[in-house]
Amino acid sequence: SAWRTIRCAFPENNCSSRILTTTRIITVAKYCCSPHHDHVYELKPLDAAHSKSLFFNRIFGSEDRCPLHLKEVSNGILKKCGGLPLAIITVASLLLTKVITKEEWEKMLKSIGSALEKYTDMEEMKKILLLSYNDLPYHLKTCLLYLGVFPEDYEIKRDRLIRRWIAEGFITTEGGKGMEEIGECYFNELINRSMIQPVGTQYDGRADACRVHDMILDLIISKSVEENFLTLCGDENHKLVQQDKVRRLSINYHARDDIIVPTNMIVSNVRSLTIFGYAENMPGLSNFLLLRVLDLENRVVLEYNYLRHIGRLSQLRYLRLSSRRITALPEQIGDLQNLQTLDLRWTRIKRLPQSIVLLRRLTCLLVNSLELPEGIGNMQALQELSEIEINCHTSVSSLLELGKLT
């Protein structure tokens, strides 16, 4: 039905323009290129040679470096993967976390099942992904499930994700490392296990962001339903069983702007609220007094008025606002004594309220070329501050106070 509407915009001619549509559903593929069904390209599974190449390159760097005593069992593993690239990469990534012995590889062979050989049952693919999920340590399972709050194909920034993990209490300090450093280790471990896909690798080899493969997202959301970990509103592809008590709520108004949070849904215990887009019937912040994480992403419409009760959220640790309509913060922001991260980069706020310096636990303040507030020396927990503009109006005392922020 979507394509039926879209195609009206395109003239039928021979000017060499092309539209490439990808889908998992063969009937959709045929409909989109009707009446020329010969234009449907069905992606075939990898042949034996390419399967081996992908598998051994992931584990050993090249096929030649595979020990002889593992050749036979690896052939069995690859046969059960059925030429599915995601299955091969997932199994190889899981084997990388094990001791490289024939016994460990044979355990893996027995765990996979055999239906994938026919390349017909995607449930078997999910079983392979479930193997990888079950092998994760508890803390990584929690961090992975948390990715379900973001929409399908969404580019999730590394630092934003780690700061949210910290605010949720998923990361504990160990061995003298800071929470951000430990969080980045978690992020990299999920990449190494092929549970998330790296995006935007920087000059130092660090991934700037990640995406979640559709099938991994399906797994995340099914496990989240099972454990009442999060609740989604607006995602047509993933209809969650409604839970009475909600822990983490993600609302996607980009998908549907007529979403209404059910009246029988108990939101008073919600710890995390993430909203994409805007609608007039958005739930009021006064209903979420136990929030630790508030992430509002709407580039155009969301207004200052929505924040009028922000000072009541005394448990808030992470606040991110992304709306060009927001030009100021209420003075009550100073009441958020537990706030650790304040991200205002995508707003048009020109000046921070004076009460900002009362946030004694704030470790990260991200703004868009604002002046230093008077009394910034009081913010002793501050570790990251950007971007601050120094100009002829900046007071000398504010600059001197920067020296107190050890």
Side-chain angles (χ1 to χ4, degrees):
S1 57
W3 176 248
R4 195 180 301 126
T5 305
I6 291 168
R7 71 176 181 182
C8 298
F10 302 113
E12 290 188 19
N13 56 41
N14 293 314
C15 295
S16 299
S17 296
R18 293 289 182 271
I19 296 169
L20 182 66
T21 306
T22 58
T23 175
R24 297 187 216 167
I25 307 165
I26 188 66
T27 51
V28 172
K30 287 180 177 177
Y31 183 77
C32 285
C33 62
S34 180
H36 309 293
H37 288 178
D38 56 320
H39 288 169
V40 174
Y41 176 74
E42 289 192 54
L43 195 63
K44 303 297 182 187
L46 298 178
D47 59 26
H50 285 101
S51 294
K52 279 185 181 180
S53 176
L54 182 61
F55 183 73
F56 291 127
N57 283 347
R58 179 74 180 109
I59 300 175
F60 301 110
S62 73
E63 190 173 341
D64 302 333
R65 295 168 68 181
C66 174
L68 286 173
H69 66 282
L70 295 177
K71 290 280 188 182
E72 187 178 344
V73 65
S74 63
N75 286 337
I77 291 171
L78 286 171
K79 187 177 181 185
K80 289 191 175 183
C81 286
L84 282 169
L86 182 60
I88 294 167
I89 284 290
T90 302
V91 171
S93 299
L94 186 51
L95 285 171
L96 266 174
T97 67
K98 310 288 185 186
V99 180
I100 299 179
T101 63
K102 188 175 181 181
E103 292 72 26
E104 283 290 344
W105 285 39
E106 283 175 342
K107 279 185 196 173
M108 177 63 67
L109 178 61
K110 289 173 185 174
S111 300
I112 294 175
S114 58
L116 267 178
E117 296 172 39
K118 301 171 186 176
Y119 192 62
T120 54
D121 188 0
M122 293 310 288
E123 286 305 311
E124 286 301 317
M125 176 67 237
K126 290 178 183 176
K127 287 179 185 176
I128 284 189
L129 299 180
L130 198 56
L131 272 178
S132 281
Y133 173 79
N134 289 335
D135 191 67
L136 291 172
Y138 180 78
H139 62 275
L140 285 185
K141 283 181 181 173
T142 307
C143 290
L144 180 68
L145 290 186
Y146 196 67
L147 294 165
V149 304
F150 299 98
E152 193 171 318
D153 296 326
Y154 190 89
E155 185 176 303
I156 307 162
K157 291 294 183 181
R158 178 196 65 220
D159 293 344
R160 175 185 176 190
L161 179 62
I162 291 171
R163 290 179 188 123
R164 287 187 56 150
W165 283 344
I166 292 170
E168 290 274 5
F170 296 162
I171 297 175
T172 52
T173 52
E174 55 187 49
K177 290 182 178 178
M179 286 194 182
E180 290 82 4
E181 191 177 353
I182 295 168
E184 188 161 349
C185 290
Y186 290 2
F187 182 81
N188 291 335
E189 182 66 13
L190 290 174
I191 289 175
N192 292 338
R193 289 171 176 260
S194 296
M195 301 306 284
I196 58 178
Q197 301 167 326
V199 176
T201 304
Q202 299 171 334
Y203 68 92
D204 55 2
R206 299 161 71 210
D208 181 54
C210 71
R211 278 199 181 90
V212 183
H213 190 283
D214 291 355
M215 292 198 69
I216 300 277
L217 187 59
D218 287 344
L219 173 69
I220 286 172
I221 290 174
S222 67
K223 295 301 289 184
S224 294
V225 171
E226 207 175 287
E227 299 177 20
N228 189 22
F229 187 82
L230 59 89
T231 302
L232 305 184
C233 290
D235 192 332
E236 290 296 324
N237 296 323
H238 303 107
K239 285 184 166 57
L240 290 192
V241 176
Q242 186 186 313
Q243 308 285 357
D244 289 336
K245 290 187 179 179
V246 180
R247 296 178 181 179
R248 298 171 189 88
L249 179 61
S250 178
I251 307 175
N252 185 1
Y253 289 111
H254 290 312
R256 277 177 48 214
D257 61 5
D258 60 344
I259 303 164
I260 296 176
V261 176
T263 53
N264 61 336
M265 185 184 284
I266 302 171
V267 298
S268 56
N269 292 319
V270 170
R271 297 295 195 269
S272 168
L273 175 62
T274 308
I275 299 179
F276 301 93
Y278 174 84
E280 290 184 4
N281 54 7
M282 281 171 61
L285 293 182
S286 57
N287 299 319
F288 300 92
L289 297 182
L290 296 182
L291 274 187
R292 291 183 177 189
V293 171
L294 177 59
D295 198 331
L296 303 175
E297 180 168 311
N298 179 277
R299 295 296 167 88
V300 183
V301 184
L302 186 68
E303 295 184 350
Y304 169 87
N305 195 41
Y306 188 70
L307 305 174
R308 64 185 182 276
H309 298 306
I310 194 80
R312 296 185 187 177
L313 309 181
S314 59
Q315 300 300 311
L316 204 61
R317 298 180 182 179
Y318 176 99
L319 174 60
R320 176 177 176 269
L321 303 174
S322 176
S323 173
R324 296 298 187 188
R325 284 279 184 94
I326 295 177
T327 57
L329 282 180
E331 276 293 331
Q332 290 83 356
I333 197 77
D335 296 337
L336 305 179
Q337 288 298 301
N338 289 301
L339 198 63
Q340 297 169 346
T341 297
L342 180 58
D343 187 348
L344 306 171
R345 287 173 293 180
W346 300 103
T347 65
R348 286 187 173 162
I349 293 172
K350 298 299 182 187
R351 191 179 185 84
L352 291 169
Q354 191 54 45
S355 64
I356 201 81
V357 299
L358 301 177
L359 302 177
R360 302 295 177 88
R361 295 186 181 180
L362 196 70
T363 59
C364 179
L365 177 58
L366 305 173
V367 294
N368 188 15
S369 297
L370 301 190
E371 292 181 26
L372 277 173
E374 290 283 347
I376 193 169
N378 294 326
M379 303 173 74
Q380 289 295 304
L382 209 56
Q383 296 176 12
E384 183 171 353
L385 175 64
S386 68
E387 294 178 6
I388 290 295
E389 184 175 308
I390 307 297
N391 56 35
C392 59
H393 303 295
T394 305
S395 71
V396 174
S397 59
S398 292
L399 283 172
L400 290 173
E401 286 187 44
L402 274 179
K404 297 179 183 179
L405 305 181
T406 54

